[in-house]
Amino acid sequence: MSFPELKPNAVRYHPDETVEQLRGPVVTTDVEDSAMSLALSLAAVSLQNGNPPVGAVLINNATGKTWANRTDDKTTRNLVRHGEMVAYFDAQPEVGDDLSDCTLVTTAELCSSCTPHYAEGRIGKIIYAAPRAYVFPLTNIMRPRNINMPDLLKDGNTDTTVIENYRMIESLGLFATYGALKGVRVPKKAGKFLLGISRGTITPEPVARQVIAAPNLQAA
């Protein structure tokens, strides 16, 4: 299977279990851009510490408050220490179990362990960088599953907008480094794009517009 470069894409999951492809250019806010920059920085810290490079930021759109954290499940040997879950644990005293006015920004597509909690909370928006299908050939983690994030959101009675593949190359570059450190060899059948990521010959273009720093975004 070959993996071509993907452009950012937006879809909406409706409570009646229908999925709508949103037309037009994918638009993110300055706060969301800053959140992804922070998530990528946290992912780099996870990588340095021997964990998968996943960083996550949860934004409460009603108050503007944010919570940021990173994955450390390998070094802590704690199954729930995924960046997305730890960010929610930090936010829970304020947001409780209603995430409909929240946005989750993360460096990778949510796994089947994290998604049910966000679906149960009816998360309003998810923005992720690297799709799981692309991470696996680079790292041998995030293996193909029978039930994935789209299935769980569709089944979760949510009203959730998802922006996929946003700043994907930056995130995949971190995952390629993680895979190289683990001795993973990317197969030729993965195609030119992933081979280019793994060899460092494909690098991200600058973000289209200047990111305005959000002062309340703090790394945990």
Side-chain angles (χ1 to χ4, degrees):
M1 180 178 178
S2 182
F3 299 87
E5 182 176 355
L6 299 175
K7 300 299 183 184
N9 180 59
V11 296
R12 185 173 178 180
Y13 294 83
H14 292 279
D16 62 1
E17 298 188 8
T18 59
V19 183
E20 176 187 6
Q21 175 67 54
L22 300 181
R23 299 175 181 270
V26 173
V27 177
T28 56
T29 68
D30 293 319
V31 169
E32 291 166 350
D33 289 341
S34 295
M36 183 60 82
S37 293
L38 178 54
L40 288 163
S41 296
L42 289 167
V45 175
S46 289
L47 176 62
Q48 293 167 3
N49 292 342
N51 293 289
V54 179
V57 180
L58 186 61
I59 306 167
N60 184 339
N61 296 305
T63 64
K65 191 170 181 180
T66 58
W67 299 265
N69 223 304
R70 55 186 170 78
T71 290
D72 60 6
D73 62 326
K74 303 303 182 187
T75 51
T76 62
R77 300 179 66 187
N78 186 327
L79 294 173
V80 298
R81 292 286 300 183
H82 293 192
E84 301 92 340
M85 289 307 304
V86 185
Y88 170 68
F89 295 153
D90 294 340
Q92 190 277 332
E94 178 168 316
V95 301
D97 60 358
D98 182 3
L99 304 178
S100 59
D101 211 4
C102 294
T103 297
L104 176 67
V105 180
T106 178
T107 57
E109 180 182 352
L110 271 68
C111 68
S112 56
S113 298
C114 295
T115 306
H117 304 282
Y118 280 96
E120 185 70 19
R122 299 186 180 181
I123 182 73
K125 189 175 187 179
I126 296 171
I127 303 173
Y128 73 81
R132 289 177 57 87
Y134 281 56
V135 171
F136 182 70
L138 295 172
T139 62
N140 283 342
I141 61 172
M142 301 192 185
R143 62 180 173 83
R145 306 293 293 264
N146 291 324
I147 300 175
N148 295 289
M149 186 190 80
D151 307 296
L152 293 163
L153 288 177
K154 185 177 179 181
D155 186 57
N157 193 32
T158 69
D159 189 357
T160 304
T161 297
V162 177
I163 295 179
E164 310 164 331
N165 317 319
Y166 178 65
R167 297 174 68 175
M168 177 179 73
I169 293 177
E170 293 171 77
S171 183
L172 288 178
L174 293 171
F175 279 107
T177 300
Y178 179 84
L181 291 171
K182 299 297 182 182
V184 175
R185 298 188 65 179
V186 181
K188 289 185 178 180
K189 65 180 181 181
K192 292 182 179 180
F193 176 66
L194 284 188
L195 287 170
I197 293 286
S198 68
R199 296 166 182 169
T201 58
I202 293 179
T203 56
E205 297 179 0
V207 177
R209 70 174 183 272
Q210 181 180 1
V211 174
I212 300 175
N216 61 337
L217 291 181
Q218 300 293 329

